[in-house]
């Protein structure tokens, strides 16, 4: 195949706020490659994330040096500037390229007609996306299929518990989110991209699909990833008994293509492909320059008529939390239970963590540092603003990522504002950040003084004593300056307990912009919605800097393929 046009069409489904799209769409500008990727359609069911996608799609219509000033005015906090954005023809294009709709709910004819219009008869295009992961994540499965503390404590008979558990598991196995990947698969089967990239959580490797009922009435399941691998290799076969697929196939003159599945991180000869283990599809982001220990399953599918094997990702130096957020403006947290003043914040923090609690835990040097923190009577720290005129440079230790994230035209930091915390949590946050700094590890609840333990049923028993069946022992987790961050998840939208800032003097959880930087979103990437919605989008995304590297693998493939 000779590529006459260097531009490769991309469709991104289950797009979230656009982490995958960002890496692909900016690939040519960032690397200087003659191969570019044009995101012709992004489909996302969440209305707020779709607004984020539209605004970013507008930004991508320009060379970075020619992005209109009204964009920067808007993301710095001037809401009136949005009226100027909407008057530009590029905004109308952005609205055309983003579809706020839920796969599975959109009528088949409407969905596939719009995809066909977007790819315009071009058979050599790229499909991106990851079906929703709640049904595959380990925590999500535990919540959806478990009995819960209340049920377990009601004293039900053993047979009642077994029946309840069986019913719960059956309900979980029938959850429609297990089979949303079929919506992805149907697009592959009907429109047959040259290449697809499918992303999901590691829990998909151990998840189950329903497979009938046994003689006793209990649900039978089978390994989900076995089914998914099989289906992705031969998507048309998966729909052989599906009448709606047959109609769509006729409508779009679809052939019956098969696919080879590749790992982005392990080389494989074509004749040994079936020997790739499930775990070979796991990408450990921290090995590829992402400042986060995010481990995700990412599958590369290549249409079988393409007789070229893709390359793999090249490992990069490790990037730490300090490299990325160490220079960001220092902020204090807020108070949720009393008047939020600096004086009240200092007093609440001092009362929440009596210094003697630390005697047996940290060295004298760090105890003196803590004493200095607790004895403060005034502070210059505030809670941040929608825009702060502070450049906050990325460390020169990681020049490529620095170039990727920073934008001199922005002249500051956007969306860097703190949350309010409960009084007692200030003591807990200060404690774990102190121990994290002193011992270079985040303490589990086993290491906590009794006085600081949260009054939670998973921590304390009915008598207020440590529970012998403690779960989630790292429910309060400090990020360490000297390491990549732990996985930024959508849970960050609910509370900051897993994402405590490493600087004890700030005593808070990560801001949305800090989380976005750790996810490698550029500083000029604006997230729409309220604070909870913004955090949720950041936690759900694929790191754009990782997506940039996936794009390079696919670009190199397009340079070499022949049909």
């Amino acid at each position: 195949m000779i590529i006459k046009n260097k531009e490769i069409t991309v469709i991104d489904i289950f797009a979230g706020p656009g982490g995958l799209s960002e890496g692909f769409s900016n690939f040519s500008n960032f690397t200087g490659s003659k191969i570019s990727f044009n995101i012709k359609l992004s489909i996302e069911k969440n209305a707020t994330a779709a607004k984020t996608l539209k605004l970013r799609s507008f930004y991508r219509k320009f060379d970075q040096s020619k992005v209109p000033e009204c964009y920067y005015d808007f993301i710095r906090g001037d809401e009136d500037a949005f009226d100027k954005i909407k008057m530009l023809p590029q905004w109308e294009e952005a609205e055309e390229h983003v579809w706020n709709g839920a796969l599975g709910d959109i009528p088949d004819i409407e969905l596939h007609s719009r995809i066909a219009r977007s790819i315009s008869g071009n058979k050599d295009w790229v499909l991106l996306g990851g079906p929703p992961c709640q049904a595959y994540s380990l925590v999500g499965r535990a919540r959806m299929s478990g009995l819960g503390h209340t049920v377990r404590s009601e004293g039900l008979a053993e047979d009642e518990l077994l029946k309840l558990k069986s019913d719960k598991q059956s309900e979980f196995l029938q959850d429609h989110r297990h089979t949303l990947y079929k919506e992805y698969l149907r697009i592959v089967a009907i429109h047959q991209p040259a290449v697809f990239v499918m992303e999901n959580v590691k829990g998909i490797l151990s998840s189950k699909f329903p497979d009938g009922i046994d003689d006793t009435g209990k649900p039978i399941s089978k390994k989900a990833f076995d089914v998914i691998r099989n289906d992705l290799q031969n998507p048309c076969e998966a729909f052989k008994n599906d009448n709606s697929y047959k109609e769509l196939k006729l409508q779009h003159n679809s052939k019956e293509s098969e696919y080879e599945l590749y790992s982005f991180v392990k080389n494989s000869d074509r004749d040994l492909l079936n020997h790739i283990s499930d775990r070979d599809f796991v990408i450990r982001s921290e090995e590829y320059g992402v400042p986060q220990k995010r481990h995700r399953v990412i599958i590369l599918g290549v249409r079988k008529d393409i007789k070229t094997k893709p390359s793999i990702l090249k490992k990069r130096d490790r990037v730490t939390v300090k490299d990325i957020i160490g220079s960001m403006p220092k902020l204090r947290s807020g108070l949720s239970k009393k008047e939020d003043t600096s004086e009240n914040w200092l007093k609440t923090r001092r009362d929440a963590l009596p210094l003697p609690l630390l005697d047996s835990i940290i060295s004298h040097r760090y105890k003196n540092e803590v004493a200095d923190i607790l004895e403060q009577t005034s502070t210059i720290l505030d809670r941040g603003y929608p825009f702060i005129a502070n450049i906050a440079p990325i460390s020169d230790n990681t020049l490529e990522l620095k170039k990727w994230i920073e934008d001199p035209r922005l002249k500051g930091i956007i969306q860097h504002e703190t949350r309010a915390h409960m009084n007692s949590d200030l003591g807990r946050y200060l404690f774990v950040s102190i121990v994290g700094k002193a011992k270079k590890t985040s303490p589990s609840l086993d290491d906590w003084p009794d006085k600081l333990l949260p009054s939670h049923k998973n921590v304390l028993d009915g008598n207020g004593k440590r529970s012998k069946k403690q779960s989630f022992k790292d429910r309060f987790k400090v990020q360490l300056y000297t390491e990549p961050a732990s996985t930024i998840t959508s849970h960050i939208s609910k509370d900051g307990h897993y994402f405590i800032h490493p600087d004890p003097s700030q005593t808070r959880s990560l801001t949305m912009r800090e989380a976005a930087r750790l996810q490698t979103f550029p500083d000029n990437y604006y997230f729409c919605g309220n604070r909870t919605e913004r955090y949720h989008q950041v936690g759900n995304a694929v790191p754009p800097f990782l997506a940039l590297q996936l794009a390079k693998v696919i670009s190199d493939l397009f340079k070499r393929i022949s049909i």
Side-chain angles (χ1 to χ4, degrees):
M1 181 187 72
I2 299 174
I3 300 176
K4 296 179 181 179
N5 193 326
K6 67 177 181 179
E7 185 179 277
I8 307 298
T9 292
V10 177
I11 292 179
D12 187 9
I13 65 175
F14 305 110
L20 276 170
S21 294
E22 182 67 11
F24 276 76
S25 64
N26 202 24
F27 171 74
S28 179
N29 287 335
F30 189 77
T31 64
S33 172
K34 293 181 180 180
I35 300 288
S36 65
F37 297 95
N38 187 355
I39 314 298
K40 288 291 186 71
L41 182 63
S42 295
I43 306 176
E44 169 53 38
K45 73 172 185 177
N46 182 279
T48 307
K51 290 178 182 177
T52 298
L53 285 168
K54 286 178 187 177
L55 186 63
R56 196 61 181 181
S57 180
F58 169 81
Y59 172 89
R60 293 172 187 147
K61 305 302 177 191
F62 305 90
D63 291 336
Q64 186 167 345
S65 63
K66 297 180 180 178
V67 176
E69 197 61 32
C70 59
Y71 174 83
Y72 286 96
D73 290 340
F74 175 71
I75 69 174
R76 291 188 195 109
D78 180 3
E79 295 185 2
D80 292 339
F82 191 61
D83 291 333
K84 296 179 182 178
I85 289 174
K86 290 192 294 184
M87 291 175 63
L88 296 172
Q90 289 84 356
W91 178 253
E92 187 176 344
E93 291 180 49
E95 288 195 303
E96 174 63 24
H97 291 163
V98 176
W99 190 0
N100 178 206
L103 286 144
D105 293 340
I106 300 170
D108 280 345
I109 292 176
E110 184 181 0
L111 172 66
H112 293 281
S113 294
R114 187 156 179 182
I115 289 173
R117 290 199 306 271
S118 297
I119 60 180
S120 302
N122 181 2
K123 66 178 182 177
D124 298 313
W125 62 283
V126 176
L127 176 67
L128 307 177
C133 65
Q134 294 98 322
Y136 300 130
S137 72
L138 297 177
V139 173
R141 297 207 315 259
R143 285 174 179 159
M144 288 189 284
S145 63
L147 297 179
H149 181 273
T150 302
V151 171
R152 291 195 302 270
S153 63
E154 285 178 351
L156 297 178
E158 186 67 22
D159 59 336
E160 293 177 301
L161 283 172
L162 286 173
K163 183 180 185 307
L164 189 60
K165 186 172 184 180
S166 176
D167 291 346
K168 190 83 170 171
Q169 289 175 333
S170 180
E171 180 184 343
F172 164 69
L173 288 172
Q174 298 297 333
D175 191 296
H176 77 285
R177 287 171 292 188
H178 274 303
T179 53
L180 273 176
Y181 91 93
K182 282 285 184 79
E183 299 298 329
Y184 185 105
L185 187 69
R186 191 186 298 269
I187 292 171
V188 175
I190 297 294
H191 302 283
Q192 299 162 11
V195 173
F196 66 76
V197 177
M198 188 173 119
E199 181 265 353
N200 220 290
V201 291
K202 234 177 21 168
I204 197 173
L205 299 181
S206 56
S207 189
K208 305 284 186 182
F209 278 163
D211 193 30
I213 304 291
D214 69 13
D215 293 338
T216 68
K218 292 182 180 179
I220 303 171
S221 61
K222 54 188 174 183
K223 190 177 176 185
F225 201 62
D226 286 348
V227 176
I228 290 171
R229 283 185 71 168
N230 235 9
D231 287 349
L232 289 173
Q233 287 174 308
N234 196 343
C236 299
E237 179 70 15
F239 293 108
K240 65 180 180 181
N241 298 319
D242 187 320
N243 289 330
S244 65
Y245 161 73
K246 293 174 184 177
E247 292 175 10
L248 289 164
K249 179 182 174 185
L250 287 172
Q251 180 182 343
H252 295 281
N253 298 315
S254 302
K255 297 180 180 179
E256 293 198 355
S257 296
E258 296 181 0
Y259 286 80
E260 299 280 13
L261 304 187
Y262 294 93
S263 161
F264 275 102
V265 296
K266 183 175 181 180
N267 272 317
S268 223
D269 291 329
R270 193 173 289 274
D271 61 339
L272 295 178
L273 186 63
N274 290 329
H275 293 281
I276 294 179
S277 75
D278 292 352
R279 298 226 160 240
D280 290 333
F281 292 103
V282 176
I283 298 181
R284 292 168 173 79
S285 297
E286 71 273 19
E287 296 180 354
Y288 302 96
V290 175
Q292 181 188 169
K293 298 172 185 175
R294 191 181 194 90
H295 300 169
R296 290 292 187 265
V297 169
I298 304 184
I299 301 170
L300 172 59
V302 180
R303 209 172 52 222
K304 266 194 174 180
D305 58 327
I306 296 171
K307 306 300 183 182
T308 302
K309 188 176 70 172
S311 58
I312 61 173
L313 299 176
K314 294 181 180 179
K315 291 191 176 181
R316 284 170 158 76
D317 292 339
R318 189 181 70 161
V319 182
T320 68
V321 169
K322 188 172 184 178
D323 289 330
I324 301 303
I325 68 169
S327 67
M328 292 189 73
K330 291 187 175 184
L331 307 175
R332 70 169 179 87
S333 52
L335 298 175
S336 60
K337 297 296 184 181
K338 61 170 67 172
E339 186 183 1
D340 185 21
T341 65
S342 295
E343 293 76 14
N344 279 343
W345 179 75
L346 289 169
K347 182 179 185 305
T348 300
R349 186 177 62 171
R350 184 165 56 248
D351 294 344
L353 185 67
L355 196 57
L357 287 178
L358 304 175
D359 283 346
S360 61
I361 298 172
I362 61 174
S363 69
H364 182 70
R365 178 167 70 93
Y366 285 107
K367 192 161 64 173
N368 287 342
E369 178 183 337
V370 178
D372 289 341
I373 292 173
L374 295 178
E375 288 169 5
Q376 284 181 287
T377 56
S378 65
T379 179
I380 61 171
L381 301 184
D382 56 42
R383 295 188 56 189
Y385 299 94
F387 174 71
I388 302 174
N390 183 309
I391 301 302
I394 303 287
S395 168
D396 288 343
N397 292 339
T398 173
L399 291 176
E400 190 178 23
L401 194 52
K402 180 182 179 74
K403 177 185 172 186
W404 175 258
I405 291 177
E406 292 181 358
D407 179 1
R409 286 191 64 189
L410 187 57
K411 300 177 182 177
I413 294 292
I414 61 172
Q415 300 183 309
H416 183 45
E417 301 169 271
T418 64
R419 291 196 261 217
H421 300 304
M422 292 173 54
N423 297 354
S424 55
D425 283 340
L426 285 189
R428 296 175 183 127
Y429 283 21
L430 181 54
F431 169 76
V432 295
S433 59
I434 291 163
V435 176
K437 183 175 181 179
K439 297 195 171 184
K440 303 296 186 289
T441 187
S442 185
S444 75
L445 291 180
D446 289 339
D447 303 318
W448 282 42
D450 289 346
K451 185 175 177 62
L452 289 181
L453 289 173
S455 256
H456 193 281
K457 58 197 173 193
N458 288 327
V459 178
L460 303 177
D461 61 23
N463 299 315
K465 303 293 184 183
R466 288 177 186 263
S467 172
K468 293 181 180 178
K469 297 180 179 179
Q470 243 180 46
S471 57
F472 296 106
K473 291 188 178 184
D474 61 347
R475 65 183 295 111
F476 289 81
K477 189 167 190 175
V478 64
Q479 303 304 313
L480 303 174
Y481 268 143
T482 55
E483 296 286 334
S486 56
T487 306
I488 306 295
T489 66
S490 60
H491 185 87
I492 196 172
S493 67
K494 297 180 179 178
D495 61 56
H497 298 343
Y498 289 94
F499 309 100
I500 298 170
H501 195 282
D503 178 7
S505 70
Q506 299 183 57
T507 318
R508 61 176 176 83
S509 58
L510 299 177
T511 67
M512 194 226 73
R513 182 50 52 186
E514 287 165 337
R517 273 196 170 191
L518 292 170
Q519 277 277 57
T520 68
F521 278 97
D523 281 346
N524 60 25
Y525 206 107
Y526 183 87
F527 293 86
C528 297
N530 60 37
R531 184 170 57 204
T532 297
E533 291 168 329
R534 291 169 178 173
Y535 272 118
H536 195 269
Q537 291 173 64
V538 171
N540 269 344
V542 174
F545 189 66
L546 178 62
L548 174 77
Q549 296 168 67
L550 304 183
K552 184 180 187 312
V553 169
I554 293 171
S555 169
D556 290 345
L557 178 67
F558 272 108
K559 288 176 183 176
R560 295 183 288 114
I561 59 180
S562 59
I563 297 176

